């Protein structure tokens, strides 16, 4: 069933263009309007929403972090994202005009389920983004948007993550559309950009050989750090999580701007630092800030592994290893920048001789709190 791949994880990484395309399929009519049939909330319910809370765990939480940037930008509704295991113990302020979005691949994660139940007790509306038809989380939600990633077997989440991002973008665009606010103008353009993403993910996958080679060189590293800003910050966290769970290595993700407030002290001669660089177009300030963060870590001896957009020449002088991803709008960039980090973790783990699909101490679905 691995269709010739050594691991399910590699197969699932390769399936990502298809998974993204499937998750977009049937959600747009001929005019390009979003059709979220599975969302059983009325448009009026969605117009009444004055606050969005996203709750999730692990990789799904990182998808939620990306979603916050997109949802707030497109809808201007305040959006918070919280680890499901923390959410209900904090006594969050919720009422019937709060939309709680629970993201879960399995639909059975107990922490997320308990957060959802708490939200319902407080009368909030709950929308599930889930990959498993008929599982508990969608069954207990007011509305569901299924990701169409297909079954994910490897413990490390890959294709489910990309499809969770797509589903989150669709929710954000739909909210913007029904509420008719200023950024609703952007909806058609973003939908067209989303349609191009399967092909861009395919392009990234075709360029992974140098990442595999680098992975073999990094297999003995003591620690790997990941930095990013804006939507690349959750991508950095996701890259670090993959490496921890598969390679059992110390790995940490940081917001690039936070380095100087402490973590930069970790950098030693040769410490690998993976830097996820935002597009130089659009929000140029963001790009330039990350480039200076790369200079800072390199000046302290870091071995910089840079993921940057095609044509971004400004990063070249500071990159010990440079990997390009296709030109992509800033908010959608995690769909391409995450892929090299998945491959890197998988290959490092494999070089260290670990069982990539069944890492120690972990289960695919965590059904205890
Ligand atoms: O099934 P869920 O999406 O609710 O699972 C959440 C996390 O347990 C999951 O994403 C976990 O972090 C993965 N093993 C990460 O690769």
């Amino acid at each position: 069933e691995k269709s010739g791949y050594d691991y399910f994880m590699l197969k699932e990484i390769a399936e990502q263009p298809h998974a993204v395309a499937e998750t977009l399929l049937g959600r747009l009519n001929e005019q390009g309007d979003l059709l979220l049939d599975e969302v059983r909330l009325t448009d009026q319910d969605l117009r009444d929403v004055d606050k969005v809370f996203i709750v999730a765990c692990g990789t799904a939480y990182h998808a939620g972090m990306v979603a916050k940037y997109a949802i707030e930008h497109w809808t201007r509704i305040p959006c918070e994202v919280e680890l499901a295991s923390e959410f209900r113990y904090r006594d969050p302020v919720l009422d019937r005009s709060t939309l709680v979005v629970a993201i879960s691949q399995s639909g059975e994660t107990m922490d997320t389920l308990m957060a959802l139940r708490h939200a319902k007790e407080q009368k909030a509306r709950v929308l599930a983004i889930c990959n498993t038809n008929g599982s508990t989380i969608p069954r207990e939600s007011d509305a569901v948007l299924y990701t169409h990633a297909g079954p994910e077997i490897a413990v490390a989440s890959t294709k489910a993550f990309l499809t969770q991002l797509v589903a989150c973008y669709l929710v954000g665009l739909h909210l913007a559309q029904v509420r008719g606010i200023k950024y609703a103008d952007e909806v058609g353009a973003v939908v067209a950009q989303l349609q191009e993403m399967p092909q861009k993910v395919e392009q990234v996958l075709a360029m992974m050989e140098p990442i595999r080679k680098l992975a073999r060189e990094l297999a003995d590293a003591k620690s790997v750090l990941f930095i990013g800003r804006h939507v690349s910050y959750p991508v950095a966290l996701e890259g670090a999580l993959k490496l921890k769970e598969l390679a059992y290595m110390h790995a940490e993700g940081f917001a690039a701007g936070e380095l100087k407030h402490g973590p930069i002290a970790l950098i030693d001669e040769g410490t690998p630092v993976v830097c996820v660089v935002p597009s130089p177009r659009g929000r140029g300030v963001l790009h330039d800030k990350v480039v200076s963060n790369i200079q800072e870590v390199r000046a302290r001896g870091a071995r910089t592994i840079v993921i940057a957009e095609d044509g971004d020449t400004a990063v070249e002088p500071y990159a010990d290893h440079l990997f390009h991803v296709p030109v992509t709008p800033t908010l959608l960039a995690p769909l391409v920048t995450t892929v090299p980090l998945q491959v890197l973790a998988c290959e490092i783990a494999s070089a260290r001789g670990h069982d990539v699909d069944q890492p120690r101490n972990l289960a695919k679905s965590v059904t205890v709190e």
Side-chain angles (χ1 to χ4, degrees), residues 34 36 39-49 174-175 177-179:
L34 295 168
L36 300 181
V39 178
R40 291 181 296 265
L41 296 170
T42 65
D43 285 358
Q44 190 53 49
D45 292 335
L46 295 177
R47 276 191 280 274
D48 289 343
V49 169
H174 189 61
L175 278 173
Q177 204 177 40
V178 295
R179 296 163 66 91

Side-chain angles (χ1 to χ4, degrees), residues 227 271-275 277 287-308 312-323:
I227 61 170
T271 304
V273 181
V274 179
C275 316
V277 185
H287 170 269
D288 297 352
K289 289 259 159 63
V290 176
V291 175
S292 51
N293 297 136
I294 300 173
Q295 285 174 255
E296 284 156 18
V297 296
R298 201 151 183 269
R300 272 109 187 145
R303 175 178 184 179
T304 55
I305 298 150
V306 177
I307 315 284
D312 181 353
T313 48
V315 292
E316 278 168 15
Y318 316 110
D320 294 307
H321 306 269
L322 180 57
F323 302 98

Side-chain angles (χ1 to χ4, degrees), residues 241-263:
L241 176 62
K242 285 286 158 292
L243 203 52
K244 283 179 237 192
E245 69 177 335
L246 300 175
Y248 321 150
M249 273 163 97
H250 174 249
E252 265 192 271
F254 300 106
E258 194 58 17
L259 279 181
K260 58 185 174 300
H261 298 289

Side-chain angles (χ1 to χ4, degrees), residues 56-61 103-109 112 137 154-158 160 164 238 241-242 245 362-366:
C57 305
T59 289
Y61 171 70
I103 310 175
S104 173
Q105 187 285 130
S106 62
E108 300 296 346
T109 299
T112 310
I137 288 172
V155 165
S157 188
T158 55
Q164 284 161 355
E238 174 62 6
L241 176 62
K242 285 286 158 292
E245 69 177 335
L362 293 174
K364 181 64 184 162
S365 158
V366 183

Side-chain angles (χ1 to χ4, degrees), residues 22-42:
E22 285 291 309
T23 302
L24 285 167
L25 200 74
R27 300 240 155 99
L28 302 160
N29 68 12
E30 281 166 7
Q31 288 74 45
D33 298 326
L34 295 168
L35 303 171
L36 300 181
D37 294 336
E38 304 94 326
V39 178
R40 291 181 296 265
L41 296 170
T42 65

